[in-house]
Structures are given as structure tokens and as C-alpha cells.
Amino acid sequence: RVVVNDTMPPVNNDSTEFNSGTLNIHYYNSNITIGGSFDKDVGAMHLCFYAPGFINDVKLSDQYSNYLSIMHDQIDDSLKILIYSFDRETISSVESDILNIEYSGARPVLAYASAASYDGEKIKINSFTTPDVFTLSQNYPNPFNPNTEIKFSLPFSSDVTLEIFDITGRKVVTLIDKKLSAGPHSITWNGRDKSGKEVSTGIYLYRISTDKYSDTKKMLLLK
């Protein structure tokens, strides 16, 4: 926007006080999904990957493909990506998937990330990489009474169902039934069924299901 004379450079561009944000980088097969959450809506983002393999495609998520513009280029082992808008469109501060990279060969690795609000305020970027597999952890504590925490991790955004069953296979309650972003998640079960009634002492099963993965584990409620 400065280059096309649409705005002036921010006066406080050298300020040591930053807004911040987190990029979540998720690998699955030959795809990378990048999501994020930020203190402010993001007007522009610049990413640089060490990419010794071949980049097949770089595209914005469905949420942003009709509103934001993207440019990318791979030169030698460097992939550079610029996401921007001249129409005051932004990447939401609320956690969401931003873009997807398809590659062949060696896995690209994020080397640099920079972001700013639409008006040029700096946003300091942190990042973390999630496992490229689904995981369902053993609940804790176990045995429990009456609360226990269930943790799991998704390598990419998925429709997730997490249900509790008694030892006979009867469904007790559904804890999650919605689309979740990639990354780690947790939920607490309070030992009650779908009607809010406390369940009795015994062994219970908790099962997670997505379109590509399912797993079941046992837990023990002791009163």
C-alpha cells in the first residue's frame, strides 16, 4: 500500500511493543496446512520456507480464497509466499486455517514469518508444528471421580465426534460433534450422561472419530 501510494508508512514502525500471533503448521502426507490466531486481524503476511523439494501448489483456504490475494515463488530451495489485500480484507484474528501447500519430495520447513495489520502495525509471529498423525491420549486422572480430562491431536482440520459409552456399548453422552482446527485439543468429562445425571461406578469407553481416523480407550470411574 505504501508502494502504490495508498497509505503512508506507520509513524511507530520501529516500536518495540508488538501485537503477537501464532502460526500452527500441520503436516499430513504431502500437504501442509497453516492456520493461526492473532491479537489483531492480519492485513498482510510474508512467509519463507526452506523447500528443497518440489512445490506442487500453494492456495488459500476456502475461507479466504475469495477475499485475499496470494503470490508465491520457489527459487532454488526457497519458497516465498505473500498474502495481501488492497480492499481492506484481512485474515481473522480468531483461529482459522489460512493456506495449504502441496509438495513432493523433501518437506518444506518454515524459516521466516512476518505479519502486520492492514494499517501497518507489526504482529510478532510465533509458530509451532503439530504431529503428522492423529493421537488420542489416555484420560487423566484415571481412575477418576467425577472429572477427567481427555486430550487428542489432529494433524489437519477435521469433523470430530468424541463419545462416551458404558461397558455394554450404550452411548452415555456425546462430548464433541463439530469441526475442529488442526493441533492439540482437550475436553473434560464430568461423569454425567446426556440428561445431566451422574453415572455409576464402572468402566467406560471414550471414542474419537473423524473421516480418516478413529480410536477407543477405556477409563474407570470410582466413587
Side-chain angles (χ1 to χ4, degrees):
R1 293 180 62 219
V2 173
V3 171
V4 298
N5 201 30
D6 186 36
T7 190
M8 295 295 292
V11 175
N12 64 341
N13 204 41
D14 294 326
S15 171
T16 57
E17 296 183 7
F18 292 96
N19 298 289
S20 64
T22 300
L23 287 180
N24 309 317
I25 304 170
H26 318 288
Y27 293 89
Y28 186 74
N29 292 335
S30 294
N31 288 271
I32 306 173
T33 299
I34 300 174
S37 58
F38 311 93
D39 290 343
K40 296 179 70 70
D41 289 352
V42 174
M45 182 179 294
H46 181 214
L47 305 174
C48 183
F49 285 82
Y50 170 64
F54 182 76
I55 302 301
N56 300 315
D57 193 19
V58 178
K59 60 184 179 181
L60 290 165
S61 67
D62 292 343
Q63 179 174 345
Y64 298 115
S65 60
N66 293 328
Y67 305 101
L68 298 175
S69 298
I70 185 170
M71 297 179 67
H72 64 90
D73 194 16
Q74 183 181 22
I75 300 176
D76 297 327
D77 57 4
S78 177
L79 169 66
K80 295 182 180 180
I81 302 170
L82 177 65
I83 303 170
Y84 64 97
S85 169
F86 287 136
D87 300 316
R88 300 207 70 87
E89 301 291 351
T90 59
I91 299 170
S92 173
S93 60
V94 178
E95 183 174 350
S96 61
D97 290 341
I98 301 170
L99 79 153
N100 180 264
I101 302 171
E102 296 180 11
Y103 65 95
S104 302
R107 173 182 291 184
V109 177
L110 182 67
Y112 169 84
S114 178
S117 72
Y118 191 85
D119 295 315
E121 297 169 285
K122 289 181 180 179
I123 299 175
K124 185 178 180 181
I125 298 296
N126 304 300
S127 66
F128 71 87
T129 301
T130 61
D132 55 359
V133 295
F134 290 91
T135 59
L136 176 64
S137 301
Q138 186 63 51
N139 65 298
Y140 182 83
N142 187 41
F144 65 97
N145 179 29
N147 298 322
T148 189
E149 184 180 25
I150 300 170
K151 294 183 177 182
F152 58 94
S153 181
L154 306 174
F156 51 82
S157 180
S158 305
D159 292 316
V160 176
T161 303
L162 181 62
E163 301 165 301
I164 308 294
F165 299 86
D166 65 21
I167 197 62
T168 70
R170 181 183 65 88
K171 185 164 71 173
V172 176
V173 66
T174 299
L175 297 181
I176 298 174
D177 186 14
K178 62 181 179 180
K179 188 169 187 176
L180 296 177
S181 61
H185 298 271
S186 67
I187 191 167
T188 298
W189 182 41
N190 60 6
R192 296 177 180 270
D193 64 17
K194 59 185 177 182
S195 64
K197 181 181 178 181
E198 291 185 357
V199 300
S200 58
T201 292
I203 295 174
Y204 292 87
L205 309 175
Y206 59 100
R207 183 178 70 192
I208 188 171
S209 302
T210 75
D211 59 346
K212 295 184 180 296
Y213 171 84
S214 66
D215 195 9
T216 302
K217 293 185 182 295
K218 293 181 180 180
M219 56 185 170
L220 177 59
L221 172 60
L222 282 180
K223 292 187 176 181

